[in-house]
Amino acid sequence: MEEHPDRTPTAHRVMRQDDNGNRFLLARGLTRSAAEAMAAEFEARGHKQLYWVEREEPPQPGEPGEPGAGRG
């Protein structure tokens, strides 16, 4: 049997869009099930905003948010 290296679980984020079309990040770094539960909880509150879950791609070197990015 071939061994596979451990993989880091894919992180997900919860997003919100308001009535004016503005998009906001609500949470990140969640498991898919935790992100879906959070989005469902917000939707259950009855607000007219749109909530959804997105898969997070790991930041590329030099992108904002990457530790050490922009340091010389």
Side-chain angles (χ1 to χ4, degrees):
M1 181 185 298
E2 184 178 336
E3 290 186 28
H4 296 281
D6 289 344
R7 295 183 185 176
T8 302
T10 303
H12 290 78
R13 61 183 167 216
V14 179
M15 301 293 295
R16 174 178 68 98
Q17 183 172 313
D18 67 14
D19 297 337
N20 297 317
N22 299 309
R23 295 179 178 199
F24 301 93
L25 172 66
L26 298 180
R28 64 183 304 176
L30 303 171
T31 63
R32 182 175 183 91
S33 61
E36 288 175 348
M38 179 180 280
E41 181 181 333
F42 280 115
E43 286 179 354
R45 293 181 182 176
H47 296 291
K48 294 183 181 179
Q49 277 110 26
L50 172 66
Y51 299 93
W52 70 95
V53 172
E54 293 181 348
R55 179 179 171 179
E56 287 190 287
E57 297 297 329
Q60 298 299 316
E63 282 187 358
E66 175 72 14
R71 295 184 185 168

